[in-house]
Amino acid sequence: MVPDQARHTIFRSAQINGGRPTNMSMSMSRASLPTLFLKVGGAVLLLLGIVGYIGIFNTISFFNLDAGENLAHTVLGIVALGFGIFVKDQNVNKWLVVIVGVVGLITGVSGFFLANGDFMGGHFAHPNFFGLANLENPADNLLHLVVGIVALLAVFLSRPAMAPAVSSR
């Protein structure tokens, strides 16, 4: 279907349904939420990695970026953008976003424990996430939690709505 025909079909279906788009047009946009998350999130991560290397936020006490975080943000940003742009399989993108969501939640929650040294009986008393990045700032932890929640919401909201049960009476 050419773009003008598709636009006419969606416009016509909205007229028939009292101005509301049909389930088909809504489900197509909902299904692409994980891909949109990868594109936008990847661009933000890549920009954050570049900004971290430049050192703009390194003097701000509540949001300090170290070399490990800059490298992680840059690499993860490139990977997310690559998947969001080049991988057309929505299931692959969905699972990648699930992984991002789970890792974001784990990183965010762990950061709160690492900051005061109580994680795993004090074995990780320094504010360091498995030798990769310092997560001593509450802003870092909150940001990772928000990213994890938004990622999982993108996957959850991309699922098609369940059809209502039909009574056989």
Side-chain angles (χ1 to χ4, degrees):
M1 191 180 305
V2 294
D4 288 337
Q5 289 173 329
R7 186 174 41 242
H8 176 72
T9 302
I10 292 172
F11 177 72
R12 183 72 184 131
S13 67
Q15 285 178 329
I16 293 170
N17 290 317
R20 294 181 310 271
T22 63
N23 284 341
M24 183 188 81
S25 62
M26 288 181 69
S27 66
M28 287 184 352
S29 64
R30 286 177 60 168
S32 63
L33 281 175
T35 301
L36 179 65
F37 176 85
L38 289 173
K39 288 177 182 177
V40 173
V44 169
L45 277 174
L46 182 58
L47 181 63
L48 187 60
I50 292 170
V51 166
Y53 284 121
I54 295 171
I56 293 172
F57 289 122
N58 291 352
T59 59
I60 299 173
S61 63
F62 72 91
F63 206 58
N64 190 12
L65 300 171
D66 62 15
E69 288 172 305
N70 296 336
L71 179 63
H73 292 154
T74 303
V75 170
L76 293 173
I78 291 169
V79 168
L81 274 172
F83 271 84
I85 293 170
F86 298 113
V87 175
K88 301 302 178 197
D89 186 349
Q90 292 295 323
N91 286 327
V92 171
N93 288 342
K94 227 183 248 192
W95 279 107
L96 181 60
V97 174
V98 167
I99 292 168
V100 168
V102 170
V103 169
L105 291 177
I106 290 170
T107 304
V109 170
S110 296
F112 285 111
F113 290 109
L114 292 172
N116 61 14
D118 292 339
F119 185 61
M120 293 183 69
H123 292 292
F124 293 98
H126 51 84
N128 197 305
F129 187 72
F130 300 110
L132 299 174
N134 292 320
L135 300 175
E136 67 275 5
N137 296 323
D140 283 338
N141 302 329
L142 287 175
L143 181 61
H144 290 129
L145 286 174
V146 168
V147 168
I149 291 168
V150 170
L152 294 176
L153 276 174
V155 171
F156 179 75
L157 292 175
S158 71
R159 296 176 17 193
M162 293 179 60
V166 177
S167 176
S168 61
R169 291 185 200 179

